[in-house]
Amino acid sequence: MIKLKIAVQKSGRLHDDSLRLLKDAGISIDNGKDQLKAEAKNFPVEVYYLRNGDIPQYLKDGVVDCAIIGENVLVEKGEDIEITERLGFSKCRVSLAVSKIFEYDSLSDLDGKRIATSYPNTTKKYLEKRGISADLHVINGSVEIAPNIGLADAICDIVSSGSTLFKNNLKEVEIMMKSEAVLAVSPKLPLDSAPILERLRFRIQSVLKGRSSRYVLLNAPNDKLDTIVSLIPGMKSPTILPLADENWSSVHSVIKQEEFWEVIDQLKEAGAQGILVCPIEKMVI
């Protein structure tokens, strides 16, 4: 039986969210013994648990068919690998940071300086594109300590909340790129595995659409129904049902999560009452 081979991070920031996404997509994986490869019980897929930095090469070589990986790692080690879905979690940025006492006005202040980083390719390309020459020190591990021990004048590293920079007396001065988890595909994906990948993508898309949407139920006075419906158009159009009170209707629709509070405020102002908002587990369009 043909199985799609998908790589996920063995441990770290992406691991739990990657497995949660697959679980929400209805894929049950038995990895109770912490093996490096596990099969799904109910979907033709094998999951490979790999070191994050090794995944791009596995994709290039066709050892795995696809992977859930941070976009920042893909840019650093596998820029030619196709991204087929943006997954919306594990968001971060790749940034340049300097000591808080470093007088920084522009990127030119780093010309000729020493920069410690775990992302030498990304850093080099970013600086060269802007005509900046710097001495790069490649460090695998705690890059943030480099300025404090005199190893470097600046660092390039991933930043999420910025708390690690703060604790090490550093300040973020340049955002080089923004990153999130993505589904990347091997350039050597076998033709007979492509249909399975499309099935997986369909499931993932349904999960992501559900996560980013909310189901809304409300009561609307009929004389204000057109205004209220215009605020929540839904996927195609809202469902409108008559209530026992002939002057009122029940309206059911979907809104985007990021627009939630703004839309709710507008609905109240338009006369909507009894507004209920529910999470959506999956949304198939």
Side-chain angles (χ1 to χ4, degrees):
M1 180 180 180
I2 300 169
K3 291 183 181 292
L4 184 74
K5 296 175 288 185
I6 181 170
V8 300
Q9 189 180 48
K10 182 179 179 182
S11 61
R13 297 171 61 251
L14 280 174
H15 175 82
D16 292 343
D17 285 339
S18 298
L19 295 184
R20 187 177 299 111
L21 176 63
L22 294 177
K23 181 179 179 181
D24 290 346
I27 300 173
S28 178
I29 301 164
D30 183 9
N31 192 35
K33 296 180 181 179
D34 293 325
Q35 62 264 44
L36 297 180
K37 184 178 79 169
E39 293 187 6
K41 298 177 181 178
N42 56 352
F43 194 82
V45 67
E46 291 179 340
V47 179
Y48 289 66
Y49 299 91
L50 305 173
R51 288 180 65 253
N52 204 38
D54 294 339
I55 292 177
Q57 192 62 51
Y58 279 85
L59 286 167
K60 289 179 181 179
D61 294 341
V63 176
V64 294
D65 301 319
C66 60
I68 297 176
I69 186 173
E71 184 180 6
N72 56 302
V73 178
L74 209 58
V75 169
E76 175 66 22
K77 296 187 175 183
E79 197 172 12
D80 55 337
I81 296 173
E82 179 188 1
I83 294 173
T84 186
E85 293 291 338
R86 295 187 173 276
L87 304 178
F89 58 84
S90 292
K91 292 185 177 181
C92 65
R93 52 196 183 272
V94 181
S95 296
L96 289 166
V98 297
S99 169
K100 289 181 178 179
I101 62 174
F102 189 105
E103 295 184 3
Y104 184 91
D105 294 317
S106 68
L107 191 62
S108 61
D109 292 328
L110 297 181
D111 196 33
K113 296 295 192 294
R114 300 165 299 165
I115 301 176
T117 183
S118 300
Y119 298 91
N121 295 329
T122 304
T123 307
K124 182 179 179 181
K125 289 178 182 178
Y126 183 86
L127 295 178
E128 286 183 346
K129 187 176 180 179
R130 291 156 180 82
I132 304 299
S133 176
D135 182 13
L136 300 185
H137 291 254
V138 180
I139 297 178
N140 295 314
S142 301
V143 176
E144 297 86 358
I145 198 174
N148 294 327
I149 61 175
L151 181 62
D153 303 295
I155 68 166
C156 171
D157 202 11
I158 58 170
V159 179
S160 295
S161 66
S163 60
T164 302
L165 295 181
F166 179 80
K167 291 175 184 177
N168 286 276
N169 294 312
L170 301 175
K171 59 183 178 182
E172 186 177 13
V173 293
E174 295 281 341
I175 297 176
M176 296 167 53
M177 68 168 289
K178 293 184 178 180
S179 174
E180 64 183 286
V182 298
L183 180 66
V185 180
S186 169
K188 297 183 179 181
L189 175 72
L191 289 177
D192 51 8
S193 295
I196 305 174
L197 175 63
E198 288 307 304
R199 288 172 58 194
L200 175 63
R201 288 184 61 199
F202 171 77
R203 293 192 180 196
I204 288 175
Q205 289 168 356
S206 298
V207 171
L208 296 180
K209 288 172 183 174
R211 289 180 179 179
S212 63
S213 305
R214 291 294 180 266
Y215 190 75
V216 179
L217 303 85
L218 58 87
N219 296 329
N222 289 340
D223 59 348
K224 297 180 179 179
L225 195 56
D226 289 344
T227 300
I228 289 173
V229 166
S230 70
L231 296 173
I232 47 173
M235 292 178 286
K236 290 186 177 178
S237 65
T239 299
I240 302 174
L241 302 172
L243 294 177
D245 185 336
E246 62 182 14
N247 296 313
W248 287 76
S249 296
S250 175
V251 180
H252 300 217
S253 191
V254 173
I255 61 175
K256 294 180 180 179
Q257 183 177 357
E258 64 266 23
E259 300 173 355
F260 170 77
W261 286 112
E262 181 181 352
V263 172
I264 294 301
D265 289 341
Q266 292 174 349
L267 289 171
K268 288 182 65 179
E269 291 176 4
Q273 296 182 12
I275 303 172
L276 300 179
V277 181
C278 307
I280 300 174
E281 185 174 332
K282 312 283 190 304
M283 192 163 80
V284 180
I285 297 178

